[in-house]
Amino acid sequence: MALSPQSVPENPFDFRAPPPSPVASGRRSCVTNDEVLSEFLQHSLRVPDLILPDKVFPRQKFIDNPPKIDFQALNSMQTETLPKILDSIATIGCFQLVNYGIPVESIRSALTAAAGIFQLPPQKRTAVTRSPEKLYGFEEVHEEDEGEVSEEFVWCKAKALELAMEGIWPVGYSNFSEKMETLVAEMEKVAEKILIVFREIYQEKTGRCEKEKMEGEDGNGWACYVYKHGGNVSAEKWRSCLRYDVMKMLIGGMDYSHTLCLHICDGSSEFHVYSKKGWVSFCPHKHALVVTVGDQTQ
């Protein structure tokens, strides 16, 4: 069909052009400094890491050894023993216990058997890593935490833990678990006596009689933490890891402020306690149990 001469506009450029087509989402931007813009957005949108300044972080304080309390004196409720315990708890949050009756062989056997746990490769540990729903197993290790100077494993009598560990360590776990049960049974006897003393002190001060039972997994109110501390690390790395451990103590103290803990130090050169009194460190007696008491119990 042909156009009549009257339909042709006088000026061939006097017309409205159609709107531009939208640019496809996959097409590369034509901005010349695209890489600079992308880098700026990446850094500006990233959440910054929280770094506590030194003046806010608690200062470590070295103290003389807490008093050594003879368990047999505690067992007989000697009057001069109780003031020492109460004073040490009030000022430090812990005390040392000697002559507690746990055979050295039970401790050595459990520690020897526990060494095999930390020889398991990382890929096997993943199946038994702790979580908010699973409070036993290996401490979670992030990529930036690899090569830390300490490792941690939480053991209890949970059936799920037994099945999981036998799946990744079928040869050694039954022996380890047996040694741990023997040691924990001895430690429970000591802990029960300490709780009796605390309860009697509480009744004497308040005239009230209250008894609470902690319920944990499988009905047990206890858990056993096994630590492996490495050596031959730089002083800077050691200080960094030590601060990380102090923060863990702070969080743990808030979550379990009622907890009574018995620590087998096995010749450790330093022991650290973090409570409302601050961060204190001392050199524990070689054969002593260090007994720490949560803020609520204090």
Side-chain angles (χ1 to χ4, degrees):
M1 177 177 172
L3 293 176
S4 63
Q6 290 81 5
S7 63
V8 177
E10 296 180 1
N11 187 351
F13 298 101
D14 188 15
F15 66 91
R16 294 184 178 182
S21 302
V23 179
S25 59
R27 185 175 297 177
R28 182 175 176 83
S29 172
C30 61
V31 180
T32 56
N33 59 346
D34 183 62
E35 293 183 359
V36 177
L37 177 61
S38 298
E39 184 178 357
F40 169 76
L41 292 175
Q42 181 181 4
H43 285 283
S44 62
L45 296 177
R46 186 175 59 185
V47 178
D49 296 329
L50 176 62
I51 301 176
L52 296 177
D54 291 338
K55 63 180 181 180
V56 175
F57 199 87
R59 185 182 298 275
Q60 182 182 6
K61 178 182 178 182
F62 290 92
I63 61 172
D64 294 332
N65 284 3
K68 292 182 292 184
I69 306 300
D70 192 311
F71 181 73
Q72 301 307 317
L74 183 67
N75 196 39
S76 61
M77 293 294 290
Q78 292 184 7
T79 55
E80 65 271 15
T81 301
L82 298 183
K84 292 182 180 180
I85 295 177
L86 295 178
D87 180 67
S88 185
I89 289 176
T91 56
I92 307 173
C94 71
F95 62 93
Q96 298 186 99
L97 196 64
V98 296
N99 197 20
Y100 41 82
I102 299 178
V104 176
E105 180 58 32
S106 297
I107 297 176
R108 293 297 182 190
S109 297
L111 293 178
T112 301
I117 285 181
F118 300 108
Q119 295 176 2
L120 292 172
Q123 58 269 25
K124 287 190 174 183
R125 298 187 189 188
T126 304
V128 197
T129 299
R130 293 208 307 271
S131 67
E133 299 78 23
K134 187 174 61 178
L135 302 180
Y136 54 76
F138 293 97
E139 180 183 19
E140 184 178 5
V141 177
H142 302 283
E143 183 177 352
E144 62 271 17
D145 297 331
E146 291 184 358
E148 294 294 345
V149 298
S150 63
E151 299 175 81
E152 179 181 311
F153 178 81
V154 179
W155 178 85
C156 64
K157 289 185 178 180
K159 189 65 176 178
L161 174 62
E162 179 182 349
L163 294 175
M165 287 300 298
E166 287 181 348
I168 65 173
W169 194 30
V171 178
Y173 183 73
S174 59
N175 177 61
F176 163 73
S177 186
E178 179 183 345
K179 302 297 184 183
M180 290 299 296
E181 285 190 31
T182 301
L183 176 59
V184 169
E186 297 287 348
M187 296 181 70
E188 279 188 308
K189 296 177 183 177
V190 178
E192 287 172 0
K193 181 57 187 177
I194 295 174
L195 289 175
I196 290 174
V197 172
F198 285 171
R199 190 175 298 120
E200 291 181 357
I201 294 173
Y202 176 74
Q203 293 175 17
E204 181 180 343
K205 287 182 173 294
T206 64
R208 298 164 57 190
C209 179
E210 295 182 0
K211 183 177 181 180
E212 294 184 1
K213 181 181 180 182
M214 291 193 313
E215 293 295 341
E217 299 205 35
D218 290 356
N220 295 316
W222 56 265
C224 188
Y225 288 69
V226 183
Y227 298 92
K228 177 189 175 184
H229 297 282
N232 300 323
V233 295
S234 65
E236 184 62 31
K237 185 174 183 60
W238 180 258
R239 282 192 295 268
S240 175
C241 293
L242 188 57
R243 289 193 170 199
Y244 174 75
D245 288 341
V246 169
M247 294 304 298
K248 286 175 57 180
M249 282 192 283
L250 173 61
I251 296 172
M254 296 171 61
D255 292 340
Y256 305 102
S257 61
H258 57 283
T259 305
L260 172 73
C261 298
L262 275 61
H263 306 263
I264 297 175
C265 300
D266 191 40
S268 298
S269 58
E270 286 184 8
F271 190 89
H272 302 267
V273 180
Y274 188 90
S275 68
K276 291 179 179 178
K277 286 81 178 174
W279 174 16
V280 298
S281 305
F282 59 90
C283 180
H285 187 270
K286 183 177 181 180
H287 299 295
L289 285 178
V290 177
V291 181
T292 56
V293 181
D295 291 329
Q296 182 178 334
T297 306
Q298 293 176 34

